[in-house]
Amino acid sequence: MIDVEERYDWNPRSDEVLDHPLTTFDRMRSRCPVAHSDYMGWSVFRHEDILRVVEDDATFSNQVSRHRSVPNGLDKPEHSPYRALIEPFFSQARMAAFEPLCRDISADLISGVLNRQCVDTVPALAENFALQIQCAFLGWPRNLQEPLRRWSHENHEATLAGDREAMNEIAQRFSRYIHELLESRRKQGAWAPDDITTEIMTSRINDEPIPEADIVSILRNWTVGEIGTIAASIGLLLKYLAEHPELQETLRRAPQTITEAVDEILRIHGPLITNRRRATRPVTLGGRAIATDDRVTVNWVSANRDEAVFPKPDDFRWGRDQHQNLLYGAGLHVCPGAPLARLELGVFLEELLAATGGFSLSPGRSPVNAYYPASGYQHLWLDFS
């Protein structure tokens, strides 16, 4: 785990870290809670330190990329109007209106695995659900789903390899998808679909039209976050429940407890591992001296496994204080889409548990872990009854 170069505290891309991330994060949290590496800059592992970083947005900036990123990579005051634009899309009324379609998508996908054995649920359920649900929510055509799947896989591989040239090409390709989509809406004029994409296109920031580059950035960041985290979440939930049939039965009998169960399962092993920040001034964190412009990487998965906040973190426990759960982040950039994610994951599990008598890991087919920056699984074979 320790880098051979003494100036670094750990190597995030070592086989040990990639193959055993939770064990590594737990060790780092106790041995070196603020650790330096060439790949991530400063990595922060403790819940308390991570809250300090994400709640002090004056000291730890979200402007970490060479390219403009809206709204994820904006700080106050520029961030505020974009956040105000986005938040209403996740209102209670919007969620209620979207729920029937969410159920239809869930039920249709689940019908394809009923009574089947050795189903690789990552492409069949997790990825398909994430792709279909995201396109449906934004009003995007179904023929974009497969290009988005390929784009997501290639983006992950390029990020893991640290291939910035490939990452830039992939980002530009995705931007072209959105530019073409926006242009088709403009040509339709008054006949353009009445959906979220059209609404964002025609919205204004500070009483001015939103620049096209910012519209593309909003939709790109939204889609990247949604597809990756929802697919990973479905895989993590399926694996945990497959290994805990007694919890499956509890949730079948009491579906009203699914929301709490989802938050607790994803606290144990979350779908989003890290986010980046940049120090705007010299600061001491966890006894380490961080310089101006140093990269700071908060590890959400480690924070949610911090024994100081969640005793016996590997145990599923009803009644934990989920307000301490950083599954959806915290501070200025807490995830605005949390209501949508909770709806999607809750509805998917309700439909799955209602339609099946049970599901379990397929004998002889071990799950294949996803590698950072992804979480969850590349392959997860289940038997359904």
Side-chain angles (χ1 to χ4, degrees):
M1 177 168 54
I2 301 301
D3 196 306
V4 294
E5 297 185 47
E6 293 183 358
R7 61 198 177 107
Y8 297 127
D9 300 309
W10 72 312
N11 180 3
R13 292 191 284 183
S14 71
D15 289 343
E16 181 180 358
V17 175
L18 294 174
D19 291 336
H20 306 286
L22 300 189
T23 302
T24 301
F25 301 157
D26 292 345
R27 289 175 182 169
M28 295 302 295
R29 194 170 54 251
S30 62
R31 296 181 184 179
C32 191
V34 178
H36 196 244
S37 72
D38 62 338
Y39 185 58
M40 291 184 176
W42 294 101
S43 291
V44 186
F45 293 95
R46 290 191 308 203
H47 192 282
E48 178 183 9
D49 292 333
I50 288 170
L51 274 184
R52 179 182 168 192
V53 170
V54 299
E55 290 180 346
D56 184 359
D57 50 273
T59 302
F60 299 98
S61 169
N62 254 57
Q63 292 184 354
V64 295
S65 174
R66 293 175 297 174
H67 307 287
R68 181 174 172 82
S69 178
V70 183
N72 313 45
L74 302 180
D75 295 327
K76 291 179 180 177
E78 192 177 18
H79 172 267
S80 300
Y82 282 97
R83 180 77 181 209
L85 167 70
I86 289 170
E87 284 185 339
F89 295 126
F90 304 104
S91 68
Q92 186 175 356
R94 295 253 191 181
M95 297 303 96
F98 186 59
E99 182 176 342
L101 182 53
C102 186
R103 288 195 181 277
D104 289 344
I105 292 171
S106 300
D108 181 62
L109 285 171
I110 291 163
S111 68
V113 304
L114 296 180
N115 300 310
R116 288 180 55 196
Q117 310 297 298
C118 206
V119 177
D120 187 352
T121 56
V122 173
L125 290 179
E127 289 183 356
N128 282 344
F129 179 75
L131 289 162
Q132 290 186 31
I133 211 75
Q134 178 66 359
C135 287
F137 189 69
L138 292 176
W140 290 4
R142 292 180 65 90
N143 62 13
L144 264 184
Q145 291 175 21
E146 286 310 311
L148 288 176
R149 189 198 303 270
R150 291 193 299 272
W151 178 89
S152 181
H153 289 175
E154 292 172 8
N155 188 56
H156 166 249
E157 292 168 4
T159 303
L160 177 62
D163 187 340
R164 293 193 176 277
E165 183 177 343
M167 290 165 62
N168 185 56
E169 186 280 326
I170 292 165
Q172 290 180 358
R173 192 191 326 153
F174 186 86
S175 294
R176 287 196 294 272
Y177 293 153
I178 301 178
H179 279 298
E180 292 169 4
L181 187 69
L182 299 180
E183 182 60 27
S184 70
R185 298 290 176 97
R186 291 192 186 93
K187 289 179 179 177
Q188 290 175 287
W191 297 100
D194 182 15
D195 56 27
I196 288 176
T197 297
T198 300
E199 192 168 341
I200 290 174
M201 286 177 59
T202 56
S203 295
R204 301 173 76 84
I205 294 290
N206 299 324
D207 206 31
E208 295 289 337
I210 304 175
E212 170 122 346
D214 283 3
I215 297 173
V216 171
S217 185
I218 291 169
L219 294 171
R220 181 177 61 236
N221 290 330
W222 199 339
T223 303
V224 171
E226 181 77 1
I227 291 175
T229 56
I230 291 299
S233 294
I234 294 293
L236 291 163
L237 292 167
L238 291 176
K239 167 88 160 27
Y240 194 90
L241 291 174
E243 293 179 321
H244 297 84
E246 72 289 347
L247 182 56
Q248 277 191 51
E249 288 308 307
T250 297
L251 298 181
R252 282 191 179 89
R253 293 193 303 269
Q256 71 275 12
T257 64
I258 286 177
T259 297
E260 181 182 355
V262 167
D263 283 358
E264 176 66 354
I265 293 170
L266 297 181
R267 178 201 60 76
I268 296 170
H269 187 169
L272 178 63
I273 300 178
T274 63
N275 277 141
R276 296 181 297 163
R277 299 292 191 272
R278 176 181 56 82
T280 62
R281 62 179 178 84
V283 63
T284 299
L285 186 69
R288 309 299 294 270
I290 297 173
T292 301
D293 288 331
D294 276 2
R295 291 174 297 153
V296 178
T297 303
V298 294
N299 190 307
W300 302 113
V301 172
S302 178
N304 279 339
R305 298 175 56 80
D306 192 332
E307 301 85 345
V309 180
F310 303 103
K312 295 186 176 180
D314 278 310
D315 292 354
F316 178 98
R317 290 188 179 182
W318 295 107
R320 286 199 196 261
D321 181 6
Q322 296 297 338
H323 291 95
Q324 298 294 318
N325 188 338
L326 300 184
L327 174 61
Y328 297 104
L332 180 68
H333 291 274
V334 64
C335 179
L340 177 62
R342 286 197 168 100
L343 170 71
E344 291 169 351
L345 297 175
V347 165
F348 180 87
L349 281 189
E350 284 182 38
E351 294 296 321
L352 178 66
L353 293 167
T356 60
F359 52 91
S360 58
L361 296 175
S362 300
R365 301 299 298 267
S366 298
V368 178
N369 290 339
Y371 281 164
Y372 181 86
S375 183
Y377 305 97
Q378 296 181 59
H379 301 283
L380 175 65
W381 291 276
L382 298 182
D383 294 345
F384 292 89
S385 61

